């Protein structure tokens, strides 16, 4: 019997409504990235990859196995284009924010790099890409914006060519349990098993000067079991699962490093299409 929690059976219209709201919010958030495009191009030109060391270790030597990588939720394309520095031969990015995709295209143009960017919901990733990816790459603040994890896993599976691999390195869902304002781990009142939703706009500190009245964006807690089992149900074979203290952003600024290294901050999953 397949593992399909009741709560995952979301109303498709409600899923799309949340994704459209997230699109509006991320278009606002992308304005900050637009300010940094010139610096980001200079960094790539200098050969600095933004791929995380945990991801790099899991990727091995991409030059030896990865022709095409599809980066789902690629934002302004910094990690997408960094994959080329890591040895991937061709990259394709997908993001729901038109402003992020414009930034990504501008970077690729400035650097003359072989990259294609699609502006769409990850659930609508063009079928022309089906069966073409050696690597589907995603994470670092990605799956929490997706409101149908099984549909997401179906997209991953259809993109991979036989023998291809998905790599997810993302925030550990247990990090939802702790209050980010506290200097010791204090339960934030979240039910880990309820597929909790968090809705909020950008903080004034982040976006205040450029957007006066930020749109509300919606996040969802997917447990590691939700993600892994959705990939398995989509036909993939799990090849690696790690839970880690490593961070990709400072989500708990008040917590000391000594405490953080004892908490699960991130996880990494790889799975193959056989
Ligand atoms: C925190 S960022 C991920 C950043 C990424 N790790 C990087 O730096 O390249 C989340 C991204 O997900 C995108 N996003 C959110 N919901 C999406 C959806 N349904 N389909 C496609 N992209 C989506 C947002 O526009 C944003 O660019």
């Amino acid at each position: 019997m397949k593992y399909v929690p009741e709560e995952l059976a979301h109303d498709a219209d409600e899923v799309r409504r949340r994704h459209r709201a997230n699109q509006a919010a991320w278009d606002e958030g992308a304005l900050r990235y637009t300010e940094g495009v010139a610096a980001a191009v200079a960094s790539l030109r200098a050969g600095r990859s933004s791929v995380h060391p945990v991801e790099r270790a899991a990727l091995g030597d991409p030059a030896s196995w990865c022709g095409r990588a599809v980066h789902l939720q690629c934002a302004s394309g910094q990690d997408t284009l960094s994959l080329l520095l890591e040895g991937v031969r061709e990259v394709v990015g997908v993001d729901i924010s038109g402003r992020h995709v414009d930034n990504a295209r501008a970077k690729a143009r400035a650097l003359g790099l072989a990259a294609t960017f699609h502006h769409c919901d990850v659930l609508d990733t063009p079928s022309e890409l089906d069966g073409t990816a050696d690597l589907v790459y995603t994470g670092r603040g990605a799956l929490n914006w997706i409101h149908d994890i099984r549909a997401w896993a179906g997209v991953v599976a259809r993109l991979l060519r036989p023998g291809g691999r998905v790599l997810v390195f993302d925030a550990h869902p247990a990090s939802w349990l702790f209050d980010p304002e506290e200097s010791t781990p204090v339960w934030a009142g979240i039910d880990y098993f309820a597929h909790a939703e968090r809705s909020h706009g950008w903080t004034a500190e982040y976006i205040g000067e450029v957007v006066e009245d930020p749109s509300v964006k919606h996040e969802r807690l997917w447990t590691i079991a939700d993600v892994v089992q959705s990939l398995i149900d989509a036909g993939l074979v799990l090849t690696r699962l790690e839970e880690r203290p490593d961070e990709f952003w400072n989500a708990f600024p008040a917590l000391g490093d000594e405490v953080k290294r004892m908490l699960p901050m991130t996880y990494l999953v790889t799975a193959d299409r056989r």
Side-chain angles (χ1 to χ4, degrees), residues 33 36-45 74-85 89-94 99-118:
Y33 291 64
V37 164
V41 166
S43 179
L44 288 164
R45 189 171 277 131
C74 66
S76 289
Q78 197 69 9
D79 300 339
T80 326
L81 297 172
S82 291
L83 286 172
L84 296 171
L85 299 177
R89 281 190 289 286
E90 184 204 348
V91 291
V92 179
V94 174
R99 209 165 261 150
H100 265 314
V101 167
D102 287 348
N103 290 342
R105 287 178 180 152
K107 289 180 190 178
R109 250 193 328 272
L111 292 161
L113 291 174
T116 312
F117 292 94
H118 295 273

Side-chain angles (χ1 to χ4, degrees), residues 19 26 71 73-75 79 95-97 100 120-122 139-141 145-146:
H19 285 197
W26 275 102
H71 183 186
Q73 298 177 249
C74 66
D79 300 339
D95 202 277
I96 203 167
S97 159
H100 265 314
C120 61
D121 191 319
V122 80
R140 284 199 268 157
W145 303 110
I146 302 302

Side-chain angles (χ1 to χ4, degrees), residues 6-12 14-15 147-148 150 195 220 222:
E6 276 305 301
E7 295 89 337
L8 296 195
H10 289 298
D11 179 317
E14 282 302 306
V15 168
H147 290 268
D148 186 338
R150 285 179 292 150
H195 302 114
R220 187 158 307 277
W222 299 116

